[in-house]
Amino acid sequence: MRRLVVVVILLSVISIIPLFSLSAADFDFAYGKWAILGDRLYQNDLKAGMARVNIPAPQAGLMVYEFNVRYEDGGTDDMHAGFGLHIFVDKPASGRAWGNGKSYLLWLNYDENAKEITKGLSAQIYKSLTNSKMELVADIDLNDYTYLLTEDLLDMVIPFKMVVNGFNGDVKIYDPTDSSYVYKFNLGNKAPLTGQFISLRTNSMGISFGR
């Protein structure tokens, strides 16, 4: 099992599974029911709206984040569920919180009754200012992909790859259905980004993460 490799400034790769080689004491299971089973990290609380685990991971410069996700259970009662990744976290919240220190949240969401963001399947980019305040940077309509939300496909392991330039805020997210296609956007930061943690979070469903 590869350990986390960090080459500050030039190229840093954060891969979820190597982080499992850290001691359990290094993880801050801030909210929800988290467990490491085999080679996957599970969040099993189907009701927790702000489940989050904080993981130590120094970040600066050009970053590559790679992991995969798999739906496990929940999210069907109110047709509202989501998961995401906080990056460049300086001081993560230690308990249940909307924000997460100074960081950026990349969020995938499904909500049939959404009011302030796109209804149905969407993605959001938030800038976290404090543990209680976040600003919406972008809202992306993904309803063209709702055909993938079938019972036959829900148990698939979906790869996630994101490249973030911490100097200028440029982000590239690779399409999990076609790695030759890349979504590009900018975080809008005015200064180079650095952070000491990443945080995984879920909303109202069980999900697992792996590599």
Side-chain angles (χ1 to χ4, degrees), residues 47-74:
K47 300 297 183 181
M50 300 181 189
R52 190 181 74 259
V53 58
N54 304 315
I55 306 172
Q59 298 152 84
L62 185 63
M63 303 297 306
V64 180
Y65 303 85
E66 289 190 85
F67 59 94
N68 64 59
V69 297
R70 184 176 68 202
Y71 169 82
E72 301 295 340
D73 198 4

Side-chain angles (χ1 to χ4, degrees), residues 100-204:
N100 193 29
K102 293 181 180 179
S103 62
Y104 283 87
L105 171 64
L106 291 307
W107 184 252
L108 184 65
N109 189 68
Y110 186 86
D111 185 357
E112 291 188 348
N113 301 305
K115 295 181 179 179
E116 297 181 359
I117 58 174
T118 299
K119 290 184 178 181
L121 186 63
S122 64
Q124 286 75 43
I125 298 92
Y126 290 96
K127 180 180 181 180
S128 176
L129 303 174
T130 68
N131 293 346
S132 60
K133 184 177 181 180
M134 289 204 292
E135 294 180 349
L136 182 63
V137 175
D139 178 25
I140 304 166
D141 189 333
L142 297 178
N143 282 295
D144 286 346
Y145 291 91
T146 53
Y147 72 92
L148 295 172
L149 302 180
T150 65
E151 291 186 6
D152 293 338
L153 297 177
L154 279 180
D155 61 351
M156 290 183 61
V157 174
I158 301 173
F160 178 94
K161 181 178 180 180
M162 178 173 68
V163 178
V164 182
N165 187 328
F167 295 117
N168 61 19
D170 286 343
V171 179
K172 295 191 295 185
I173 297 181
Y174 291 78
D175 189 325
T177 65
D178 181 357
S179 60
S180 66
Y181 191 84
V182 178
Y183 301 91
K184 298 179 181 180
F185 56 89
N186 188 274
L187 296 175
N189 54 300
K190 303 301 182 182
L193 300 172
T194 61
Q196 298 303 313
F197 292 83
I198 63 171
S199 298
L200 295 167
R201 66 187 306 164
T202 71
N203 176 53
S204 302

